[in-house]
Amino acid sequence: MFFGLLYPLIFELSALIPDPAFSQESNPVYREGNCASSTRTFLRRTFIKHKFQYLNVPLVGTVAVSDVFDCTLECLSNPFCFSVNLAAFKGAHGKLWCELLSSDKFRNSTEYKRNKSSHHFAIESPCSSSPCQHEATCVTNYRDGSFGCRCAKGFKGEYCEKGEKMDVFVSSRSNASQLVPLDLNSKPITVLCQMGDFGCGDGGWTPLMKIDGSKATFDYDSHYWSDKNQYNILGGRTGFDSQETKLPTYWNTPFSKICLGMKISGQLRFIVINKQANSLHSLIADGTYRATSLGRNEWKKLIGAQGSLQLNCNKEGFNAVGTASHHSKARIGYIANEQKNCHSCDSRIGFGTGGYPDNSTTCGNVAVARPDNGDRYIKAMGYILVQ
């Protein structure tokens, strides 16, 4: 049977669809969608083809079919079918085997694997955009297009964006810095929680990164700013020293404040950005510029009396880059120019920096071309913490 169909395949029909996906789950966090006003709903279903993939879950039926249209139609006719496996090649009888599946790949991700003999067809779902955070299980209500997030241990919130253990120790009243075990994505790590007011205000501060400005590990173009790979996790236990690190807290920890510190010639200085986000990764990874409003003098406090910047442009925040991207730029920081534009900035203060006139300085202060306090090439040890 040939229908000239292209993938994804779209089918429309009236069908009675119960919601076993939610009725069988234990208290998922539920986000309301456009609820159906009747038990019979005119449904539009899009099946997405995943080549040479197989989902190994209990079957609700097996049929021999002529093509993918027949297979997916069988699924839509069965109220307990959520996806299908379909043979990639016809057998000797000229038919394809079609398995009607009792679940989907979002609730059974460990059973979703590559193979060489079949394709997987899944109903398009709001879970396809991965809305649930910290390895939560996304559960679709196929009847009304809503979804829920079943949080992993240690997380809560509508999208499982809040770390429960983080909330506990951050609110501690102790002023002594302490090693604290965190359960992130069911993978325990231990970090040194900085307590008390060491320069960023009272409370507990959770470390995310430490950057050696003389090394290229975390330069502006480093993959570590956009990926979710850790680096030297033991460096998260050692405080304000010279060990570089990137911790899972970079992509797993929501916050309302960011503490930025630089150590130059043994002298530590800090500033604070009031910014709410699900993680620092969410502010930086996509490369989008997000402005802050601390002002040039506040950024120069990180450097002390030697801080120097040009007088114009004055662009600050996350992913701060001028129109000439090979000039000064910063993943978190401040860039400036001598011309009254942001084209070819020759000065910067920040973290994850790079570009002309000194691409080798990845944290600190670089300034040439008539800056306000002389030319500078200052490499700093940088610290990023959140609360």
Side-chain angles (χ1 to χ4, degrees):
M1 178 182 305
F2 177 72
F3 288 89
L5 296 174
L6 299 176
Y7 300 120
L9 300 172
I10 301 177
F11 304 95
E12 296 184 358
L13 73 165
S14 259
L16 181 64
I17 307 289
D19 349 347
F22 268 82
S23 62
Q24 295 174 1
E25 295 298 335
S26 56
N27 300 319
V29 180
Y30 184 71
R31 186 163 74 90
E32 291 290 334
N34 295 320
C35 295
S37 59
S38 164
T39 55
R40 288 188 68 84
T41 308
F42 188 68
L43 299 176
R44 183 179 180 88
R45 290 288 178 254
T46 303
F47 278 82
I48 306 299
K49 179 180 181 180
H50 302 277
K51 284 188 174 183
F52 297 108
Q53 297 285 344
Y54 186 86
L55 180 63
N56 185 22
V57 296
L59 306 182
V60 296
T62 303
V63 292
V65 297
S66 298
D67 56 24
V68 62
F69 182 88
D70 287 349
C71 181
T72 51
L73 191 61
E74 288 285 346
C75 181
L76 290 175
S77 301
N78 189 318
F80 299 103
C81 178
F82 293 93
S83 60
V84 301
N85 294 323
L86 178 66
F89 311 101
K90 291 185 177 181
H93 46 63
K95 296 284 187 179
L96 300 165
W97 54 259
C98 168
E99 295 179 340
L100 310 182
L101 306 180
S102 61
S103 187
D104 58 38
K105 65 190 183 78
F106 304 106
R107 288 191 294 165
N108 298 271
S109 58
T110 60
E111 302 302 321
Y112 181 64
K113 299 176 182 178
R114 290 194 62 80
N115 77 352
K116 296 181 179 180
S117 60
S118 65
H119 306 311
H120 181 69
F121 290 81
I123 299 174
E124 188 174 39
S125 160
C127 291
S128 300
S129 61
S130 302
C132 303
Q133 302 180 26
H134 303 122
E135 296 188 359
T137 300
C138 185
V139 183
T140 297
N141 182 338
Y142 289 100
R143 178 177 177 178
D144 61 18
S146 61
F147 69 90
C149 298
R150 298 184 64 202
C151 300
K153 182 180 178 182
F155 293 93
K156 61 183 180 180
E158 184 177 4
Y159 303 101
C160 304
E161 73 276 12
K162 299 177 182 178
E164 292 177 331
K165 291 195 174 184
M166 196 70 70
D167 293 342
V168 171
F169 81 79
V170 163
S171 63
S172 169
R173 299 192 178 197
S174 170
N175 285 325
S177 297
Q178 53 193 282
L179 289 172
V180 177
L182 302 179
D183 189 4
L184 300 177
N185 295 339
S186 301
K187 297 177 183 178
I189 68 166
T190 299
V191 301
L192 182 64
C193 176
Q194 298 288 345
M195 305 300 297
D197 188 358
F198 53 86
C200 287
D202 288 330
W205 291 92
T206 305
L208 306 187
M209 299 180 72
K210 295 191 295 188
I211 302 170
D212 186 339
S214 66
K215 297 180 179 179
T217 313
F218 299 112
D219 66 13
Y220 187 93
D221 296 320
S222 170
H223 62 88
Y224 285 116
W225 294 105
S226 57
D227 67 23
K228 294 183 178 181
N229 297 323
Q230 64 192 35
Y231 178 85
N232 184 29
I233 197 168
L234 295 180
R237 303 181 181 184
T238 54
F240 300 124
D241 64 1
S242 59
Q243 288 195 51
E244 288 192 302
T245 188
K246 176 191 169 188
L247 303 170
T249 48
Y250 174 75
W251 63 87
N252 275 329
T253 307
F255 56 81
S256 58
K257 295 181 180 179
I258 306 173
C259 172
L260 301 174
M262 287 190 185
K263 183 164 65 174
I264 301 168
S265 300
Q267 178 67 49
L268 264 169
R269 301 178 182 87
F270 296 92
I271 61 174
V272 175
I273 298 175
N274 292 314
K275 182 73 174 180
Q276 189 162 350
N278 289 331
S279 67
L280 189 57
H281 177 272
S282 71
L283 295 178
I284 295 176
D286 62 3
T288 300
Y289 170 61
R290 295 176 172 90
T292 57
S293 56
L294 295 182
R296 62 189 291 114
N297 290 333
E298 193 69 12
W299 286 97
K300 288 172 71 175
K301 286 181 181 179
L302 286 169
I303 309 301
Q306 297 299 307
S308 187
L309 288 167
Q310 294 163 292
L311 294 174
N312 298 310
C313 176
N314 299 311
K315 185 175 184 178
E316 63 169 287
F318 305 91
N319 300 315
V321 186
T323 53
S325 60
H326 61 284
H327 278 252
S328 280
K329 50 192 173 182
R331 287 295 185 175
I332 310 174
Y334 194 104
I335 62 174
N337 196 12
E338 80 274 22
Q339 285 97 18
K340 293 183 179 180
N341 57 56
C342 289
H343 178 63
S344 55
C345 296
D346 301 315
S347 61
R348 67 193 186 241
I349 293 175
F351 303 75
T353 61
Y356 179 85
D358 180 15
N359 197 50
S360 69
T361 297
T362 59
C363 181
N365 182 197
V366 172
V368 299
R370 297 189 296 278
D372 60 6
N373 195 26
D375 291 359
R376 294 287 181 261
Y377 296 91
I378 299 174
K379 293 177 170 61
M381 188 69 202
Y383 307 95
I384 304 174
L385 307 93
V386 296
Q387 183 185 93

